[in-house]
Amino acid sequence: MKLLRNDTFEVYLSPQGTVESLLLTDDPEKMNWVIDSQYVAEAGYANQHKRFGQWSATVDDVLIESVNLQPHIEVVSDQSAIVTFLHDAFKVQYEYLLHQNGEWKWIIRCSNPAQNCVKVSGFHSWLSLAYIMFRDPDVLKNMKHSCAVFPHLGGDFAKFAAMRRSNEAPHLAIYSTGDRVAAFGTYCCYTNRFLEQVSPSLDGLLYHRLSFIEDGRSMEQSADSDWIYGGGYSSITLNPLEEREWSFVFTPFGEQEQFYKNAKKYGHPHWTYSPVTTTEGKFVAEVDLPEHAELDSVKMLSVTADNGTIKEFDISNTFQLNSNVNSKRLRAVLTLKSAGEIKLVAKLTNGKCDVLVGNVLEPIHAILEERAAWLCDHSFQSAEETRPYAFLPLSNQGESLGKLSFILMKNLLSPPVPAQVKKVEMSAFLDLKQHWFENGDFTLPKSLYGSFYRIYDFDYIGHVYYLLSKFDKSLLTYGDPETYLCWAAQIMCMRLDPECHRNKREQEESQLVGVFILYIADLLEDLKKKELTDWYAKLNKLWLAFVTGLKQGSQGYKGAVTEHFYDNAGFGPTCEALCLAELTDEARLYAPLIIANIGFSNDYRANAPDRWWEALSYMTHSLWGGLVAGAARAAYEKLGDTRLLEAGYRATMAVFNCYDWNVQSTMRKLKPGEAASTYSIAAPNLNMPELSRNRFGQSIFKKSSDPLFSSLFANIESDDWDMGEELVAYMLGFGSTTYLYTDGEGELRCVNGYIEPTEKGYEITSYAAYPSRYVMLEKGLIFTAQAGEGVKRVLFTGDKFEREEVQKAQL
């Protein structure tokens, strides 16, 4: 093992020329920022030949792998080394350079040592950063020695942010300073723990792979659909002795703002943009150019849905100096009336290009209407079906009931469609009670999972009954509002009370946070208003005891673990629950975990909360993506950290990719109202290449090479199994509320809307589906519309909100 070092890094090289350890000298935790081969062996994963620096290439259709070559290593000093791999048709050379300026530079060269030209259709190197779910009950190990990795691809300015999961600096940044990166893929090593009845059901790690040359074969048919990045997939021909070079700089950083500030030092532009807007809004893009760089042109590309034709527009003239602030940021405001993804390609005068990928949605209220109609028309089972009055897909897991809660919430916020409400009520009264409980008795849950039942299921069941209680009696057929309110209370009392459960598993799960935080406060308030004192007293006592447990466990981050491992389904809702209980000191312990967990990128699709086990890759999961995003927004209102607000909005908007029928960059196209629960962000997804940048659901695993996966999902037919609650979280938050805050440069920023200066102040236009609330938290200002009205625009004068337009609405 050879040690290279400078004042910032310690890098240990193996005899094979791979990086075995990467330490930051100022890191008090001494985290190894690359996947540790010793841990891989201890965890029982086979040697996958994916250590940092191992590479493969396809040259004249012959696969060449570094693991089969004997490298020559020349250590020049303790600050530099050259590793050379020689093959008759392909030569690869790595330089590891650690200089005194605190950087680590990694240079990759490939060349043709033969006398004839060679065709290179793929050249890939493993960038095996420490993206690990440790098989360890010590939550601090997962927080302090593991990272999430957020990619920025396209053009000449690829970069990667490796965020320590605790959000404690230093983090690690990797900036491309050489030739283009064609793709950034992942391979997952995991243990399938479904039969061990734990959650998350997998543990493992992701290996990241840089593709310097990629002709699209790594992504099978999905490359053909990828109009955004597909133009970079091609082979190259190397003439005799011809050489190509890529280079990267590694450097620590403190937080997201510094990540971008440092990038400018290496010639990278910094974009601030609307990740998603609607056809009713405006797309805003701001670019802060590095020193000595100038913008030559900006083109906007989009693709037509009917024939896939790519349209291109020159929008260079729309970029103007932002006169509102003392900076050199160029700003463009685009009114885009057609829904669909957009790609901005900015060319600098030095010839290099940068890429920005955003999206334009249909008005979100229209998306929600289409979704509710589709579910009621296609998912509701008739009386003659196998399980009458259930909503498809049939499932024992409560997550599948999120669709019912969504339909009800949508009908509470917009003019109700009686037929939709009736179908949900029939399902709740005639199917739900009987399926999850013995003879419909809420005190006797059925053991639907063999020997046990899931506590989490009751969160979803209680939500359905609570929302039914919010409807006028004239819209209900089988029960009245007070009955449903009592049922919701009864279910939640059973759910939260360990004494109601015989088995240890269920008793322990009763103290875990779940979806019930979306409605527990409202449920208690309604019980009090309706003077249902017995139910209120019982539930309130259990809630306070539950919160006390959260408070006591917060110092050890107990809420960051679900049944088994570190999980954003734990720390996201736990943070929101603590905020709900006004325990802000404890909530502040969990909030950084949310910030580190939510992606930031030049591509709106990569702005999702980090969760990998549904796709075996970095991905968007509709349910937990939306719920973690909602937790970030809710935490912002109590803690005031704008990083939570911005992250929550980015992630919320990324989730709509699972519902957006105008998206053309995936194989899986959607019809209006259809949905798919998961989107695989990374490309290629080397475990299942057909998932690369594609949408899918549980049914995809029927053909998995993992026999347990294929058997578990053999009867699943639908792609939208665990969906719905994230839309409820949206409607409770960004679905109604638009936010203002002042950024670090003194500029007024708007989240979930558009801000425009006027003579009287600022006109704020909301992008919310049901706009009724405007918040300027730093000044303690909140505007709330009257019940039943939508306020699309308000005037902000600096010290108050004034209404400009009222749309009589909804109720």
Side-chain angles (χ1 to χ4, degrees), residues 37-52:
S37 57
Q38 182 177 346
Y39 172 75
V40 172
E42 291 172 355
Y45 300 121
N47 186 349
Q48 299 288 339
H49 303 311
K50 294 172 176 59
R51 289 144 75 182
F52 187 111

Side-chain angles (χ1 to χ4, degrees), residues 475-612:
L475 287 167
L476 301 175
T477 303
Y478 295 90
D480 57 49
E482 187 170 302
T483 296
Y484 290 130
L485 185 62
C486 291
W487 285 5
Q490 185 178 0
I491 289 166
M492 284 311 302
C493 285
M494 178 269 293
R495 186 262 191 244
L496 289 171
D497 188 353
E499 299 299 320
C500 289
H501 311 287
R502 294 191 302 271
N503 298 328
K504 182 180 178 182
R505 174 194 172 101
E506 286 86 344
Q507 290 172 353
E508 292 178 347
E509 281 188 6
S510 71
Q511 300 307 293
L512 296 177
V513 188
V515 171
F516 73 87
I517 59 165
L518 294 179
Y519 62 94
I520 185 71
D522 293 335
L523 173 56
L524 284 166
E525 183 179 348
D526 286 358
L527 290 170
K528 196 172 186 179
K529 284 181 179 177
K530 298 293 183 181
E531 297 183 351
L532 296 167
T533 54
D534 288 345
W535 282 122
Y536 173 80
K538 186 175 182 180
L539 182 56
N540 191 51
K541 181 179 178 180
L542 288 166
W543 165 242
L544 293 176
F546 181 87
V547 168
T548 299
L550 288 186
K551 177 180 172 68
Q552 292 171 347
S554 60
Q555 292 298 325
Y557 294 94
K558 187 177 179 181
V561 178
T562 52
E563 295 106 315
H564 193 58
F565 290 135
Y566 185 79
D567 184 2
N568 61 14
F571 59 75
T574 296
C575 183
E576 185 171 358
L578 290 166
C579 287
L580 201 60
E582 303 292 340
L583 296 172
T584 53
D585 288 344
E586 289 77 11
R588 284 191 177 91
L589 295 172
Y590 290 97
L593 312 188
I594 299 177
I595 294 169
N597 181 256
I598 294 178
F600 53 95
S601 177
N602 63 325
D603 187 329
Y604 81 99
R605 299 170 296 181
N607 289 333
D610 173 46
R611 190 175 176 93
W612 58 268

Side-chain angles (χ1 to χ4, degrees), residues 272-291:
T272 304
Y273 70 110
S274 313
V276 175
T277 187
T278 75
T279 55
E280 297 177 317
K282 296 180 180 181
F283 184 83
V284 179
E286 294 178 345
V287 60
D288 196 359
L289 296 174
E291 194 174 356

